[in-house]
Amino acid sequence: MNSILSSIDLNGRLSLYSIPVIWFTGFYPHTLKYLTIDKLVGYNNALPRASDAKSASGKVPQHVALRLSRLEGAHNNGNEAMPLWFAAVLAGNFAGLDNRWLNIMTASYVATRLAYNTVYIYHNDIAAGNLRSFFYFFGLLFPLTILFKAAAKVANQ
C-alpha cells in the first residue's frame, strides 16, 4: 500500500480523474436503491422510474423506506452538484492552475462528497441532517474557489 501511495505524483494532472469519481459518488446511491428494491419487492425494468422509494413505501418496513428515500436524495444531490464540479475542474485545468493545488482541492472535494453521502444514507436524525448540510456547504467551497481562481488567472492573462 505504501508503494502505491508513494508512486502518486501530486504534480501531475490528476484532477481530471475526479470527474468520473464524482459521477460515481452520485451514481452509487442510485444503484444501491435499485438493488434494495429488487431484493425486497422486485424491480420492474419495463418501467424503471416506477421502482422508486415512493412505490416501495408500504411494501417494505418504514426504516427501509426511509433509507430508500435517503438513497434517492443522495443520488439527486450528487446529480445537482456535478455540473458545478465538472466546470470547476475543466476551468482550473484550462486556466493552468497549479496541478498540486488543484489535486489537493480535488481530493478534498471527493472526501466531502463521500462524507456527505455516508451521513445522508446511513443516518436519519436532526444532528445527522445538520452534519450532512455542513458537508454540503463546506464542499461547495472547493469548486467555487477553483472557479474564482481560474477566472482571475484567465482575466489577468
Side-chain angles (χ1 to χ4, degrees):
M1 180 80 172
N2 189 23
S3 64
I4 293 173
L5 292 178
S6 64
S7 68
I8 295 175
D9 179 13
L10 287 179
N11 295 315
R13 287 196 163 202
L14 301 175
S15 63
L16 293 170
Y17 290 108
S18 74
I19 292 174
V21 171
I22 290 299
W23 172 84
F24 180 76
T25 66
F27 181 74
Y28 83 82
H30 178 75
T31 302
L32 289 176
K33 177 185 74 169
Y34 282 109
L35 290 173
T36 303
I37 289 171
D38 187 41
K39 180 179 176 185
L40 297 176
V41 295
Y43 174 74
N44 180 359
N45 200 32
L47 195 57
R49 300 275 178 172
S51 296
D52 60 4
K54 217 178 209 179
S55 69
S57 186
K59 300 176 187 173
V60 297
Q62 183 180 10
H63 73 279
V64 174
L66 290 172
R67 182 163 182 238
L68 291 171
S69 183
R70 291 191 308 273
L71 284 163
E72 202 167 281
H75 168 69
N76 289 339
N77 182 270
N79 286 340
E80 294 159 0
M82 255 185 259
L84 180 65
W85 181 250
F86 292 0
V89 170
L90 294 174
N93 278 279
F94 172 78
L97 296 181
D98 178 69
N99 286 334
R100 183 176 187 78
W101 180 83
L102 200 51
N103 292 336
I104 291 169
M105 296 294 280
T106 295
S108 300
Y109 185 69
V110 168
T112 61
R113 291 305 306 173
L114 291 171
Y116 174 90
N117 278 354
T118 300
V119 172
Y120 201 161
I121 294 166
Y122 296 105
H123 303 282
N124 188 30
D125 57 47
I126 294 299
N130 292 335
L131 183 59
R132 184 191 74 234
S133 294
F134 167 78
F135 282 127
Y136 175 77
F137 288 108
F138 180 70
L140 282 177
L141 293 174
F142 299 105
L144 292 174
T145 300
I146 294 168
L147 283 168
F148 280 110
K149 195 168 182 174
K153 185 169 182 180
V154 170
N156 290 324
Q157 288 178 349

